[in-house]
Amino acid sequence: LALEARAYFDRFVVMPFKEHFGDGGSTWALATYEPTLMLLHLSGHQDDGDMDKGSFAKYTAWALDMRNMEFSSGLNGGMSAFSRDVDSIAAEICLLLAKRRDEGATRHLLVQNGLILAEKSAERCRKKIAAYGQILLVYEQLE
C-alpha cells in the first residue's frame, strides 16, 4: 500500500504542482514533498530487499545531515494540525534506514538523528492526539 500511496502522491500532488508552477514554484507545504515520498518508498520496501541501492544511499545521506531536516516551526505546526508534523516523518525515515543497517557508526547516527527529531515532534504534538500517537510509536522503536 505504501508504494501505491507514493505513486498517487506523486501523480496527484507533486507532478501537478510541478506542471502548474514549474521548478521555481512555492507552497507552504513544498518542503514536505521529498520526505513524504522518501518515507512511502522506504515503507513500501520494509520487508524486502528490493529497494535499489542508489535510493537507499541517497536517503541515508539525506538523513545523516541534520540540515536536511530543519523544518520551520510554522510548517511543523501546520502539518501537525492535520496529522503528522514533518519532524515525525523525518524521524521515521531515520528509523527505517537504521533498521536496514548493521551496527556501526552510520546506524548509530541515524538513530541519534531520529531520536532528536522524535523528541522535538513529541514535545510539539503533546496535545494533538493523532500526531502524538504516531510519533510515540516511532520514538519507542528508536530507543
Side-chain angles (χ1 to χ4, degrees):
L1 279 176
L3 294 176
E4 188 175 345
R6 183 182 193 274
Y8 284 122
F9 184 75
D10 192 43
R11 181 175 171 196
F12 294 114
V13 177
V14 177
M15 295 312 296
F17 179 83
K18 286 182 180 179
E19 289 171 11
H20 186 72
F21 294 104
D23 289 335
S26 182
T27 177
W28 71 276
L30 186 61
T32 67
Y33 291 6
E34 183 179 12
T36 299
L37 290 168
M38 202 180 299
L39 178 59
L40 291 170
H41 194 198
L42 286 164
S43 295
H45 289 291
Q46 276 188 88
D47 301 322
D48 62 39
D50 289 344
M51 176 172 278
D52 63 279
K53 290 183 184 345
S55 292
F56 182 74
K58 176 184 170 189
Y59 298 165
T60 300
W62 182 89
L64 289 172
D65 187 347
M66 284 297 285
R67 292 175 296 185
N68 293 322
M69 298 177 284
E70 291 175 354
F71 305 104
S72 72
S73 60
L75 177 62
N76 272 311
M79 293 301 296
S80 67
F82 297 111
S83 61
R84 311 177 66 159
D85 62 6
V86 195
D87 283 344
S88 75
I89 292 170
E92 189 168 354
I93 290 168
C94 292
L95 170 66
L96 294 178
L97 289 167
K99 284 182 170 183
R100 292 174 152 255
R101 298 199 67 93
D102 295 329
E103 290 295 324
T106 300
R107 184 178 191 282
H108 175 76
L109 188 53
L110 287 166
V111 170
Q112 181 181 350
N113 288 355
L115 282 169
I116 291 167
L117 293 161
E119 288 170 359
K120 286 173 39 180
S121 177
E123 181 62 32
R124 177 183 307 104
C125 299
R126 193 163 304 282
K127 294 182 180 181
K128 298 173 181 173
I129 296 169
Y132 189 66
Q134 290 181 39
I135 193 54
L136 282 184
L137 295 172
V138 172
Y139 184 83
E140 289 168 358
Q141 291 180 64
L142 284 164
E143 279 190 307

